[in-house]
Amino acid sequence: MSTDDVGARAASFDRGAGAYAAARPGYPDEAVRWAVPPDARDVLDLAAGTGKLTQPLVALGLHVVAVEPSDEMRAQLSALLPDVEAFPGTAEHLDLPDACVDAVTVAQAWHWVDPPAAATEIARVLRPGGQVAPIWNVRDDTVDWVGRWTEIVHRGDSLTDTLRYGEPALGDLFTEPEHATFRWMRPMHPADLRTLAASRSHLLLLPDDERDGLLDAIDELAATHPDLRGRDVVEMPYRTECYRARLR
Ligand SMILES: C[S@@+](CC[C@H](N)C(=O)[O-])C[C@H]1O[C@@H](n2cnc3c(N)ncnc32)[C@H](O)[C@@H]1O
């Protein structure tokens, strides 16, 4: 399977669900609250993965339904959140009734979907005036060690410039997206920098020897960079980039 094939990359998470659950960041509460209308009751967390965003949505007291195509990712979600209904499905085909939710969240996944088909399907399941919110966690690569970490995990990745993490193309069915940025720090053990790298779609599809080479380079960075070497805890700086738009 090729690492530059978008479909294969989108499906790669099946192979790394455990690493994903262990290593990937969650989302700050202010960002989650901003993403969902204050009067929302029923929320679809689409492309829910292992439940990184589903969990804080549930904690807000919302009734959350999760849709996620990967069986392995969904199994992690159900282990974490056994009371949440989690269905197979994609952004382009949701096996849900028309007008059944007040809001749809799509975290760290809009770059994997077909935007026109996804926007049409999301509009179908939203109630009148409902809201969709694509969200991304983005590392602050201006910090030296973070930029070096990113350079290593992107080595040989031809899709780096293709996958768009910016304003989502939602089309005419939705209002112009509003945008907000939430900055936060994530405490991590330096060894977690390897697991975080291993959970990425590019690495999941690499041949073992190439993946191990990149992971060894991450270990080397953790062992030698002056801001990482000998530390028990390091702080990964993140921006959570949130977009929201209402159904017209
Ligand atoms: C990077 S993970 C994000 C998971 C979770 N939302 C989070 O924030 O941790 C991307 C997820 O999108 C899913 N995915 C890929 N293509 C998809 C599609 N067309 N429709 C819905 N989900 C998709 C993958 O299976 C994967 O679980």
Side-chain angles (χ1 to χ4, degrees):
M1 209 180 288
S2 166
T3 182
D4 58 7
D5 175 323
V6 178
R9 289 278 290 272
S12 68
F13 294 100
D14 245 353
R15 302 176 176 208
Y20 194 104
R24 290 290 187 109
Y27 297 91
D29 286 343
E30 320 89 89
V32 181
R33 274 194 292 272
W34 188 88
V36 176
D39 56 350
R41 289 188 324 258
D42 301 312
V43 177
L44 164 62
D45 188 23
L46 173 57
T50 62
K52 298 278 178 192
L53 179 62
T54 323
Q55 189 170 38
L57 288 167
V58 169
L60 286 181
L62 296 158
H63 173 248
V64 187
V65 170
V67 167
E68 161 58 44
S70 156
D71 293 343
E72 300 296 330
M73 296 291 265
R74 233 175 32 257
Q76 294 279 341
L77 186 150
S78 294
L80 177 72
L81 300 165
D83 295 334
V84 171
E85 282 183 293
F87 301 109
T90 64
E92 298 81 6
H93 182 76
L94 295 166
D95 195 8
L96 295 175
D98 294 355
C100 64
V101 291
D102 304 306
V104 176
T105 51
V106 191
Q108 215 74 20
W110 188 261
H111 53 287
W112 296 126
V113 310
D114 172 33
T120 303
E121 189 63 341
I122 290 168
R124 183 183 69 74
V125 301
L126 278 172
R127 296 184 178 126
Q131 182 166 290
V132 60
I135 298 171
W136 284 273
N137 274 327
V138 182
R139 292 175 310 283
D140 181 355
D141 287 330
T142 62
V143 174
D144 186 72
W145 70 265
V146 181
R148 289 172 191 262
W149 186 94
T150 297
E151 181 277 315
I152 295 168
V153 299
H154 283 167
R155 274 182 204 164
D157 183 357
S158 60
L159 288 188
T160 301
D161 298 328
T162 311
L163 299 173
R164 267 178 50 79
Y165 293 6
E167 181 170 306
L170 293 164
D172 296 341
L173 294 166
F174 290 91
T175 56
E176 275 299 302
E178 291 177 74
H179 174 230
T181 300
F182 301 87
R183 293 176 190 279
W184 58 290
M185 304 293 271
R186 179 185 184 205
M188 299 175 75
H189 189 275
D192 299 335
L193 297 174
R194 179 184 175 103
T195 329
L196 182 62
S199 76
R200 299 182 61 84
S201 61
H202 170 53
L203 275 84
L204 290 171
L205 293 181
L206 281 175
D208 289 352
D209 57 334
E210 289 180 41
R211 178 174 53 249
D212 290 349
L214 295 188
L215 294 176
D216 289 349
I218 296 285
D219 287 346
E220 168 89 12
L221 175 71
T224 58
H225 194 285
D227 295 339
L228 301 175
R229 190 179 51 215
R231 299 280 169 94
D232 289 334
V233 176
V234 296
E235 296 217 308
M236 178 73 92
Y238 278 103
R239 300 188 323 264
T240 301
E241 300 288 356
C242 299
Y243 296 85
R244 65 184 181 191
R246 293 276 189 166
L247 192 58
R248 286 190 200 273

